């Protein structure tokens, strides 16, 4: 292959198809899920306990409903929780299932003297033991924050399920208790106390025991998650960062996203030779890499092999966001994965940039208008700024962020002014006011990371909302004009998703399918700024470099897309703290590329 990309014959290399679930784990997981649903139904709905389905369910492993609805409910929830882990081949889920099935067989024999139940339990246990080599996936990275998440989710689920349990016995309920009384009864029952709702016969005992079982399950799982050995989320160690910086010093010119590999909320795998590396983060079971591998392209296959081995070991779904065409070729060739064009990166060659000409008229007029309004710009290396000014810039960038959640992953560094990032560029806009704001005359900030020794890649854009529109255009032009003095010959701007579809869809002669696709992208731009970023980048007459997503199968794309949106900060499943409770001196995890909507509309 041309371009310095290493090539190996098919017989001389390993071809990875990714960690696909095998047939046995999938079948066992489905059986567990089915039994879990039947057990929950047996424990919650009294009519089910007298149906033909329950006659079948009562001989299945884990079905304790015939002698205790609460135990049936607990077993059902446990089996549902195990099903997902079994499907992914998780070793711990396998161990729990291997322990649960014999327990179910013993319970069937002791309480019901059911040989059929014992036989079925052992029949399901046999394939688990026979195919134990298919359940080797290691646990996912975790932290004790999952204990809090488990408590909230299990508590909410127990409350809802408890309301169902309390309400499915209307014929045996004494009086007509209100919704508030039923909720109170559930809350008391989860803690093992008697509530205000009463029933006739043994129903009160069954409901109380079921609610107690739900509360006990929530407590046990929360305590387990809180006190088990902690595996923290991905973090880049000092040693890993030093090795990555050494690789970037030699090979950082190849990829404009290379410096973003130094985000400290990523993990890294190195090739056996140590000459290449792949950084990644695991989000919702998806192992997300971004950009091309770091280092010598000849050593990329070794780093990719380690990446795929790690994905297989944990049963993660492998994916790469935003790799270049060369990177996509190596990834697809070495792993057997597929690639799909995701969008284009806007790259401006400094030598060719000029404000002259009709194509640049709008930008030229906007910049001149802002300069006449009294704004001035400064473009400097981070190492040339004093600590007091850096602190002011950090605080301003934090306060001017447009959303409560930091955004960015593949094209964001996640910090400003770190001592190790002295080569980064900061472009600032200033205007002297009669009444200076909290940050003095500072009005807007652009931060660039190094792209080799002669390039820069845009990291974040922030501005004071009271400043005039056009701050971003002003600072990009200032950075491009100052670039020659700083030894910079090329500047990478924002990444424009689906740029080619937007460009072709608005041209004359575009077909109905392309126009419909463009219409959908324009509609989605209301939330994700797809079209606005493309048009903003196009103002500077860049050359477009395609970027790709690498994936295992088409069925994985929705999951990968959701995980990428989580990583980029567009979807946040965690409950954020109020802004006034957050620590302002911690390095932000990510930084947005999105252009301020006011600037976009004004332009």
């Amino acid at each position: 292959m041309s371009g310095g990309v290493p090539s190996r014959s098919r017989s001389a290399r390993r071809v990875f198809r990714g960690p696909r679930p095998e047939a046995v784990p999938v079948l066992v997981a489905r059986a567990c899920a089915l039994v879990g649903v039947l057990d929950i139904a047996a424990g919650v709905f009294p009519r089910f306990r007298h149906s033909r389905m329950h006659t079948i369910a009562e001989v299945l492993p884990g079905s304790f409903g015939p002698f205790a609805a609460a135990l049936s409910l607990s077993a059902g929830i446990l089996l549902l929780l195990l099903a997902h882990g079994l499907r992914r081949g998780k070793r711990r889920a396998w161990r729990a299932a291997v322990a649960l099935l014999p327990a179910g067989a013993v319970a069937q024999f002791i309480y019901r003297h059911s040989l059929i139940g014992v036989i079925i339990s052992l029949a399901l246990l046999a394939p688990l033991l026979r195919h134990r080599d298919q359940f080797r996936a290691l646990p996912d990275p975790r932290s004790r924050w999952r204990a809090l998440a488990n408590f909230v989710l299990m508590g909410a689920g127990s409350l809802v399920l408890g309301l169902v349990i309390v309400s499915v016995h209307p014929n045996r309920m004494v009086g007509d208790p209100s919704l508030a009384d039923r909720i109170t009864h559930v809350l008391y029952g989860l803690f093992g106390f008697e509530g205000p709702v009463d029933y006739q016969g043994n129903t009160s005992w069954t409901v109380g025991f079921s609610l107690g079982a739900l509360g006990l399950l929530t407590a046990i799982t929360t305590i387990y998650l809180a006190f088990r050995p902690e595996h923290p989320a991905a973090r880049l160690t000092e040693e890993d960062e030093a090795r990555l910086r050494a690789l970037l010093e030699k090979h950082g010119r190849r990829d404009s996203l290379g410096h973003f590999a130094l985000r400290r909320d990523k993990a890294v795998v190195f090739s056996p030779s140590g000459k290449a590396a792949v950084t990644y983060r695991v989000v919702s079971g998806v192992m997300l890499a971004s950009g091309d591998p770091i280092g010598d392209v000849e050593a990329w296959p070794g780093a990719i092999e380690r990446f795929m081995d790690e994905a297989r070991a944990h049963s993660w779904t492998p994916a790469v966001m935003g790799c270049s065409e060369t990177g996509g070729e190596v990834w697809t060739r070495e792993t057997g994965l597929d690639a799909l064009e995701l969008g284009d990166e806007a790259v401006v060659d400094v030598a060719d940039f000029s404000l002259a000409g009709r194509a640049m008229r709008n930008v030229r007029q906007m910049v001149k208008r802002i300069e006449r309004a009294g704004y001035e710009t400064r473009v400097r290396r981070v190492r040339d700024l004093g600590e007091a000014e850096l602190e002011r810039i950090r605080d301003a960038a934090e306060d001017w962020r447009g959303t409560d959640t930091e955004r960015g992953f593949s094209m964001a560094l996640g910090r400003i002014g770190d001592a190790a990032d002295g080569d980064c560029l900061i472009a600032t806009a200033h205007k002297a006011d009669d009444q200076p704001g909290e940050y003095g005359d500072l009005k807007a900030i652009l931060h660039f990371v190094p792209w080799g020794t002669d390039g820069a890649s845009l990291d974040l854009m922030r501005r004071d909302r009271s400043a005039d529109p056009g701050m971003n255009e002003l600072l990009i032009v200032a950075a491009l004009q100052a670039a020659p003095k700083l030894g910079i010959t090329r500047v990478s701007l924002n990444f424009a998703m689906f740029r080619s579809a937007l460009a072709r869809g608005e041209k004359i002669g575009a077909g109905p399918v392309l126009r419909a696709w463009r219409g959908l992208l324009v509609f989605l731009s209301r939330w994700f700024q797809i079209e606005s970023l493309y048009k903003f980048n196009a103002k500077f007459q860049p050359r477009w470099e395609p970027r790709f997503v690498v994936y295992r199968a088409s069925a994985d794309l929705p999951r990968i897309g959701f995980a990428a949106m989580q990583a980029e900060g567009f979807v946040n499943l965690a409950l954020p703290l109020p802004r006034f409770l957050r620590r302002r001196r911690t390095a932000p995890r990510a930084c947005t590329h999105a252009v301020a909507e006011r600037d976009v509309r004004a332009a």
Side-chain angles (χ1 to χ4, degrees):
M1 182 178 296
S2 62
V5 180
S7 178
R8 293 188 293 176
S9 66
R10 189 175 185 86
S11 59
R13 71 173 188 267
R14 297 172 61 185
V15 177
F16 299 87
R17 291 294 176 180
R20 294 182 180 275
E22 300 292 341
V24 173
V26 172
L27 290 176
V28 171
R30 290 175 179 174
C32 279
L34 175 61
V35 174
V37 171
L38 293 176
D39 285 344
I40 292 174
V44 173
F45 301 103
R47 293 183 180 180
F48 183 82
R49 293 196 289 271
H50 304 287
S51 66
R52 293 183 179 179
M53 283 297 296
H54 181 257
T55 304
I56 300 174
E58 66 181 7
V59 298
L60 292 175
S63 182
F64 304 140
F67 55 86
L71 290 178
S72 178
L73 186 65
S74 302
I77 293 176
L78 287 173
L79 287 170
L80 282 178
L81 293 175
L82 287 176
H84 179 67
L86 288 172
R87 188 181 187 280
R88 295 179 60 195
K90 292 295 184 179
R91 190 68 175 178
R92 286 187 174 179
W94 177 85
R95 291 173 179 170
V98 167
L100 182 61
L101 290 176
V106 172
Q108 291 287 350
F109 184 76
I110 293 177
Y111 289 97
R112 296 188 64 255
H113 306 290
S114 171
L115 292 177
I116 297 178
V118 174
I119 292 173
I120 293 178
S121 296
L122 297 179
L124 288 179
L125 179 63
L128 280 175
L129 295 176
R130 181 180 179 184
H131 300 279
R132 58 184 177 273
D133 58 326
Q134 296 186 22
F135 297 90
R136 292 183 175 180
L138 301 175
D140 293 345
R142 59 184 182 268
S143 68
R144 291 191 175 92
W145 282 106
R146 289 199 174 184
L148 178 60
N150 177 83
F151 177 77
V152 173
L153 295 176
M154 287 286 289
S158 298
L159 180 61
V160 173
L161 192 56
L163 281 174
V164 175
I165 295 173
V166 169
S167 303
V168 293
H169 305 275
N171 296 331
R172 294 183 173 272
M173 190 177 293
V174 177
D176 186 20
S178 64
L179 178 61
D181 289 336
R182 299 184 188 193
I183 293 176
T184 302
H185 190 85
V186 172
L187 292 175
Y188 274 64
L190 293 177
F191 288 95
F193 300 105
E194 192 68 30
V197 181
D198 198 8
Y199 301 88
Q200 301 173 0
N202 294 329
T203 304
S204 181
W205 178 89
T206 302
V207 170
F209 205 96
S210 299
L211 293 176
L214 285 175
L216 186 62
L217 268 177
T218 302
I220 290 175
T221 54
T222 301
I223 292 172
Y224 168 73
L225 291 172
F227 290 98
R228 67 178 177 174
E230 185 176 8
H231 290 247
R235 288 292 182 268
L236 203 65
T237 66
E238 293 183 2
E239 180 184 356
D240 290 338
E241 184 174 339
R243 295 177 66 184
L244 286 174
R245 289 186 182 277
L247 293 177
L248 287 171
E249 187 176 351
K250 295 180 180 179
H251 308 282
R253 195 179 189 280
R254 181 179 292 279
D255 187 14
S256 63
L257 306 189
H259 200 85
F260 298 122
L262 299 175
R263 284 180 63 100
R264 288 165 184 162
D265 58 357
K266 290 183 177 181
V268 60
V269 289
F270 289 91
S271 66
S273 65
K275 295 182 179 180
V278 176
T279 58
Y280 66 91
R281 187 197 300 172
V282 179
V283 182
S284 298
V286 178
M287 191 176 182
L288 279 176
S290 58
D292 293 343
I294 307 300
D296 186 356
V297 69
E298 295 290 339
W300 283 6
I304 291 173
E305 180 178 328
R306 289 283 179 87
F307 177 89
M308 297 301 294
D309 287 343
E310 191 77 5
R312 181 182 295 104
H314 293 84
S315 191
W316 292 328
T317 299
V320 185
M321 302 297 297
C323 66
S324 68
E325 187 171 2
T326 299
E329 290 175 354
V330 178
W331 273 101
T332 55
R333 191 190 65 236
E334 295 297 324
T335 64
L337 302 179
D338 293 323
L340 180 68
E341 186 173 340
L342 188 61
D344 294 89
E345 176 189 10
V347 178
V348 178
D349 293 314
V350 173
D352 299 332
F353 177 77
S354 173
L355 286 177
R358 182 177 180 83
M360 298 296 295
R361 182 180 60 180
N362 291 337
V363 176
R364 182 173 63 251
Q365 291 176 348
M366 177 173 288
V367 169
K368 290 185 177 299
R369 176 178 58 80
I370 296 173
E371 288 176 342
R372 287 196 299 268
Y375 288 89
E376 65 175 24
T377 59
R378 302 168 192 168
V379 181
R380 294 158 290 174
R381 298 279 186 183
V382 166
R383 59 172 172 264
D384 297 329
L385 276 70
E387 184 58 36
E389 186 174 7
L390 270 177
E391 189 71 11
R392 182 162 59 108
I393 290 173
R394 291 192 196 101
D395 292 344
E398 171 70 15
D399 286 349
W400 294 345
R401 190 176 66 229
T403 60
D404 288 337
T405 304
E406 287 280 9
R407 291 179 178 174
F409 168 68
S410 57
M411 297 182 69
L413 183 60
R415 58 183 182 268
I416 299 177
D418 192 275
D421 299 322
D423 287 338
C424 291
L425 262 65
I426 290 184
T428 53
H430 305 262
K431 182 181 180 182
D433 295 327
D434 295 336
Q435 297 180 345
E438 182 180 359
Y439 305 107
D441 62 350
L442 184 63
K443 299 299 179 183
I445 303 164
L446 258 62
H447 186 255
F448 298 83
V449 300
W451 175 8
T453 58
D454 62 346
S457 187
L458 181 60
D459 178 21
L460 69 83
M461 298 185 290
R462 299 281 168 81
R463 71 175 182 86
D464 188 343
R465 295 298 174 181
S466 64
D468 294 335
M471 290 292 102
N472 294 324
E473 288 89 338
L474 173 68
L475 287 180
I476 288 177
V477 170
L480 290 171
Q481 291 176 339
K485 297 179 181 179
L486 298 170
I488 295 173
T489 61
R490 53 192 177 153
V491 176
S492 170
L493 301 180
N494 289 304
F495 171 72
M497 290 187 63
F498 309 114
R499 196 271 320 173
S500 58
L502 289 169
R504 293 196 302 266
E506 64 184 355
K507 290 183 178 180
I508 187 172
V513 175
L514 189 56
R515 287 185 180 274
W517 174 227
R518 181 183 180 277
L520 176 62
L521 294 176
V522 172
F523 174 75
L524 293 176
S525 295
R526 298 180 180 182
W527 296 277
F528 302 110
Q529 296 182 331
I530 299 173
E531 184 186 30
S532 59
L533 271 178
Y534 158 58
K535 291 186 174 180
F536 178 84
N537 292 332
K539 294 178 183 179
F540 303 96
Q541 303 299 307
R543 55 181 169 90
W544 299 101
E545 297 289 342
R547 291 279 174 173
F548 298 84
V549 56
V550 177
Y551 60 98
R552 181 180 60 189
S554 299
D556 293 334
L557 284 175
R559 185 181 181 188
I560 293 171
F562 185 74
M565 292 175 67
Q566 286 182 264
E568 296 287 353
F570 290 104
V571 176
N572 185 18
L573 300 182
L575 296 176
L577 290 173
R579 178 169 288 197
F580 68 90
L581 292 178
R582 299 174 194 165
R583 294 179 60 189
R584 295 180 57 182
R585 295 298 180 264
T586 55
R589 294 191 308 259
C591 307
T592 182
H593 294 321
V595 183
E597 188 170 346
R598 179 178 169 187
D599 280 1
V600 173
R601 291 180 177 177

